Amino acid sequence: MQSESAAIELRSINRLLVDEGGSPARYWIPAYQRGYRWDRLQVTQLLDDVWDFIQASEEKRRTSFYCLQPLVVRKLEDGRYEVVDGQQRLTTIFILLSHRNEILTLLGKQRFSIDYETRDRAFLDEIDLDRSNENVDFYHICEAWRAIEEWLAGRDRMHSLKLLQHLLNDDEAGRNVKVIWYELAPNDDPVAAFTRLNIGKIPLKEAELVRALFLRRAAQDDTTGNLSLRIAYEWDQIEKRLQNNSVWYFLQNADLYDANRIGLVFRLAARVEGHALNGEDYAVFSHFSDLLSAEQSAEIEWRKVKDIFMALEEWYEDRYLFHVLGFVLNQTGGGLSTIAELLADSQAFSKHGFSQGLRNRVYRMVLGSNLSAASPDELEEEITNLCRTVDYANAPKVRSLLLLFNLATLLEDPRSNIRFQFDSFKRESWDIEHIRSVSDERPSRPREQDDWLRHCLMFLRTAKEEDEQALAGSIEAYLDPDSEPGSQASFEEIDGKILSFFNEAMDGPDHDLANLTLLDARTNRGYRNAVFAVKRSVLLENDRSGIFVPLCTRNVFLKCYSRTVGNVMFWTDQDGQDYLDAISRTLTRFFLGQAGASR
């Protein structure tokens, strides 16, 4: 947790030049930090980024500032700033200002100074390229100087002037280059902060910076500290809730590799307020910095953030909305624009109207037409036709249909309290696969052939029938490394017998929806083209062990959709037809509003 007494603000590069008294600012690099280590590429990238910002700004394609990474400092008793994090960027800016010192003077500015606890300050003040090989610090400083020189080569003096003018624009509200100035409290431990930010490889996240903004403004609004404590407590409760993977993966398709998932709520809050974000670095921080620097109170802005989170939580808690919105968000990737649009709809309509609108949205996603324009008979015909014609070649469409089939099935009976596990579904990469093996996709490599036969053998070893035992014996002989060459049947012969035994010797490919279901990537890799009986054994064992198996996948391998139960080890054409009918009927009832919708 960041110190609640830390100061945080957006500060222009121009303001880095001087201290509070107007004298040249003095920065101090302590011994626990390494020296300057940026290479030419990093220096050039910084210059390119600033120049791209300048060009976009002049063409009015960008109205905000360009933000560098945070500069974390602690003010010392003698007025200097101890640099805890951001030394590399600060030093690069210093070298650039030194390289263009004549323009700096022309603009009426002067450089800040950088001092070191254990290194030679004099070289940085007067960079001598002839001394670049004396030590590693001098080398990197000289390389940065050369990178700047090369970048400016071919550009006239006006380019240099324009670069410095934008870099040092003193209009705090204008288009300029800024840093996030994060000033630790005097009693904060700078070594501990440095360790967390660098050695621990955990940089300041944007959400942490926004937190500091709220707590700082709350402390100004309420000197009793009660508001700060309440925001801090509620913040932690929201973050804890979002750390629940069941909640998070309902909203998002993947983790953001961000320790602070609450950042999603802040991005939504900025989007709802009309901030486009557009992928700009620290755009959310900029949004809240502007709000909390103005007259708006921390409590009012915090209430807006909380309202958004409470709406998301309401979606999660409502079983119908959880499944239908879960489908929408899964299909769209959980993008900010989609969630913001759904938030607006949920506020504009009644719960019944919102639910009805969601079904229409899902219908457009799946069938590409408007639900309200179809009569019940037309709707049923359209869904049935889609189920009969879609196949493995259109994998995304099949996957969405099968996912919706699972969700609609769970909503069929209002007495059920089972919820779809979006976290397991997304993290374990469930995708479409064939229910029974596909005869035109036989394993071709010796190792794949051996693995496929071993999977079949695991099932046949427990068989009691004479023909099953004979088939198992043929496989064992084939896999025996000590058997005489030519004494056992070939793979093709055994493979044909297996497919024939399990009624899976088809004349052509079987890629229709009637032979497709959701399987996880691990099972796909291990048993990709196994026969129905083997896949059934594996999936049911996973189910018995408490491993997530989608309800409809489980029902397929238990043959729950089959009107007549024949041999449970085979998947017949009739089983496939019954399964297809079940998908069509379930989806039709769902779109007609007969599947547990809120009324």
Side-chain angles (χ1 to χ4, degrees):
M1 180 184 296
Q2 304 304 311
S3 170
E4 295 183 7
S5 55
I8 184 169
E9 63 178 302
L10 285 165
R11 182 168 289 195
S12 67
I13 299 299
N14 182 68
R15 285 192 60 198
L16 299 183
L17 302 182
V18 296
D19 59 20
E20 286 83 351
S23 301
R26 296 172 295 150
Y27 298 94
W28 182 69
I29 311 298
Y32 59 76
Q33 292 214 28
R34 66 175 183 169
Y36 182 69
R37 293 295 182 271
W38 265 22
D39 57 29
R40 289 194 184 199
L41 178 60
Q42 289 168 298
V43 174
T44 301
Q45 285 175 337
L46 175 63
L47 293 171
D48 286 341
D49 289 344
V50 173
W51 188 254
D52 288 345
F53 160 73
I54 293 171
Q55 297 296 100
S57 177
E58 290 182 340
E59 296 170 12
K60 298 183 178 180
R61 289 187 288 110
R62 184 171 183 160
T63 57
S64 63
F65 55 87
Y66 176 72
C67 189
L68 299 177
Q69 297 288 323
L71 178 62
V72 183
V73 300
R74 185 177 72 116
K75 194 168 187 178
L76 304 176
E77 292 182 359
D78 62 5
R80 293 181 299 171
Y81 292 106
E82 177 180 352
V83 179
V84 178
D85 191 52
Q87 176 212 165
Q88 308 295 323
R89 291 178 294 279
L90 185 67
T91 304
T92 303
I93 292 169
F94 181 88
I95 297 171
L96 173 61
L97 297 179
S98 299
H99 194 286
R100 300 284 91 179
N101 193 49
E102 76 283 1
I103 296 180
L104 194 67
T105 303
L106 181 66
L107 295 172
K109 311 285 185 181
Q110 53 184 325
R111 295 178 305 180
F112 52 80
S113 67
I114 299 179
D115 200 1
Y116 299 87
E117 184 175 7
T118 57
R119 291 180 171 85
D120 184 359
R121 164 188 173 175
F123 182 81
L124 189 61
D125 287 339
E126 296 292 338
I127 297 172
D128 183 354
L129 298 182
D130 292 334
R131 299 177 59 193
S132 64
N133 292 324
E134 288 187 16
N135 60 57
V136 66
D137 290 330
F138 290 5
Y139 171 79
H140 283 285
I141 290 171
C142 290
E143 284 296 283
W145 181 281
R146 292 185 178 106
I148 293 169
E149 206 158 60
E150 289 178 7
W151 189 88
L152 290 171
R155 292 179 168 90
D156 58 29
R157 181 180 174 84
M158 291 305 298
H159 280 80
S160 298
L161 180 59
K162 184 185 292 185
L163 178 70
L164 267 293
Q165 281 177 326
H166 279 78
L167 192 68
L168 301 176
N169 181 3
D170 58 5
D171 178 8
E172 290 296 317
R175 299 187 182 98
N176 53 15
V177 180
K178 297 183 180 182
V179 299
I180 295 176
W181 177 270
Y182 194 97
E183 186 174 335
L184 299 174
N187 59 346
D188 281 343
D189 184 347
V191 177
F194 174 81
T195 300
R196 193 187 74 82
L197 293 168
N198 293 276
I199 298 175
K201 303 299 182 186
I202 307 176
L204 277 173
K205 299 294 184 183
E206 191 168 29
E208 295 177 277
L209 298 170
V210 173
R211 176 190 176 102
L213 281 176
F214 269 101
L215 295 180
R216 181 189 180 203
R217 181 57 194 254
Q220 295 172 353
D221 295 346
D222 178 15
T223 56
T224 67
N226 291 333
L227 179 58
S228 297
L229 287 173
R230 178 162 61 82
I231 290 176
Y233 172 77
E234 291 173 346
W235 181 295
D236 290 341
Q237 292 303 303
I238 293 173
E239 180 61 44
K240 182 178 179 180
R241 185 64 167 152
L242 291 174
Q243 287 297 327
N244 182 335
N245 282 335
S246 178
V247 177
W248 178 256
Y249 285 98
F250 155 64
L251 296 167
Q252 297 288 283
N253 283 1
D255 202 344
L256 301 178
Y257 303 103
D258 188 338
N260 306 107
R261 289 178 173 177
I262 196 174
L264 171 66
V265 183
F266 287 109
R267 288 190 291 276
L268 278 170
R271 188 62 180 262
V272 168
E273 290 287 337
H275 199 303
L277 302 182
N278 294 329
E280 298 174 15
D281 292 338
Y282 298 99
V284 175
F285 175 86
S286 169
H287 170 77
F288 283 101
S289 177
D290 290 343
L291 286 177
L292 296 172
S293 297
E295 295 301 320
Q296 198 64 281
S297 72
E299 185 164 18
I300 291 174
E301 291 306 318
W302 178 245
R303 189 181 303 125
K304 293 178 184 177
V305 172
K306 270 205 325 178
D307 286 346
I308 289 174
F309 170 73
M310 290 171 66
L312 299 179
E313 188 165 47
E314 182 182 356
W315 292 354
Y316 175 82
E317 294 295 341
D318 185 293
R319 190 167 176 272
Y320 178 81
L321 294 180
F322 171 82
H323 288 95
V324 182
L325 283 168
F327 177 83
V328 172
L329 296 174
N330 177 78
Q331 296 300 107
T332 60
L336 291 182
S337 58
T338 300
I339 301 179
E341 185 180 327
L342 290 167
L343 283 168
D345 287 348
S346 68
Q347 294 170 358
F349 300 102
S350 67
K351 191 172 183 179
H352 172 68
F354 182 50
S355 299
Q356 195 170 32
L358 284 176
R359 284 199 304 278
N360 194 25
R361 182 187 287 261
V362 173
Y363 195 80
R364 289 196 303 270
M365 285 180 164
V366 174
L367 289 109
S369 57
N370 196 330
L371 175 61
S372 60
S375 68
D377 289 341
E378 290 171 336
L379 185 150
E380 182 177 7
E381 182 180 354
E382 193 169 355
I383 292 173
T384 300
N385 184 59
L386 175 63
C387 291
R388 287 175 178 170
T389 56
V390 73
D391 61 19
Y392 194 77
N394 192 348
K397 177 68 74 176
V398 171
R399 189 178 189 273
S400 66
L401 276 175
L402 291 175
L403 174 59
L404 184 60
F405 175 46
N406 274 270
L407 302 177
T409 299
L410 286 167
L411 291 173
E412 285 266 88
D413 193 333
R415 295 172 300 177
S416 173
N417 62 0
I418 299 174
R419 283 173 164 247
F420 190 77
Q421 296 180 30
F422 283 106
D423 52 337
S424 297
F425 178 72
K426 293 175 181 179
R427 295 168 74 194
E428 295 170 12
S429 301
W430 285 76
D431 212 338
I432 59 171
E433 188 50 71
H434 296 89
I435 297 172
R436 63 181 172 199
S437 59
V438 183
S439 57
D440 64 335
E441 294 182 5
R442 312 314 305 150
S444 56
R445 298 177 181 177
R447 183 174 178 178
E448 293 175 346
Q449 293 173 345
D450 289 355
D451 288 342
W452 191 83
L453 291 176
R454 288 191 184 96
H455 296 155
C456 295
L457 184 60
M458 286 190 304
F459 173 79
L460 291 171
R461 273 179 175 155
T462 61
K464 297 180 181 180
E465 298 296 330
E466 185 175 338
D467 54 347
E468 294 173 336
Q469 293 175 356
L471 187 53
S474 298
I475 297 173
E476 287 175 336
Y478 179 88
L479 295 174
D480 184 358
D482 297 325
S483 62
E484 291 287 335
S487 62
Q488 74 275 10
S490 67
F491 170 78
E492 287 73 20
E493 291 176 291
I494 299 175
D495 179 58
K497 290 180 180 179
I498 291 173
L499 293 180
S500 178
F501 173 77
F502 287 106
N503 290 344
E504 299 189 14
M506 309 294 292
D507 294 332
D510 191 11
H511 301 314
D512 296 338
L513 183 60
N515 190 38
L516 300 172
T517 191
L518 293 172
L519 284 177
D520 66 289
R522 182 177 55 202
T523 301
N524 278 353
R525 286 194 301 269
Y527 308 96
R528 178 172 176 79
N529 207 21
V531 293
F532 175 82
V534 172
K535 289 179 180 177
R536 179 181 190 276
S537 176
V538 172
L539 266 295
L540 295 186
E541 179 58 36
N542 287 348
D543 191 51
R544 283 192 295 270
S545 302
I547 298 172
F548 169 68
V549 177
L551 176 62
C552 295
T553 298
R554 176 179 178 273
N555 289 346
V556 161
F557 286 96
L558 286 175
K559 303 189 78 169
C560 294
Y561 302 114
S562 302
R563 290 187 175 89
T564 57
V565 180
N567 192 321
V568 295
M569 297 302 144
F570 303 149
W571 184 254
T572 67
D573 289 341
Q574 186 58 53
D575 293 326
Q577 183 57 53
D578 293 343
Y579 171 53
L580 199 64
D581 291 343
I583 296 175
S584 179
R585 289 195 308 272
T586 302
L587 295 183
T588 298
R589 287 195 295 269
F590 169 77
F591 286 120
L592 288 174
Q594 302 169 355
S598 301
R599 301 182 189 281

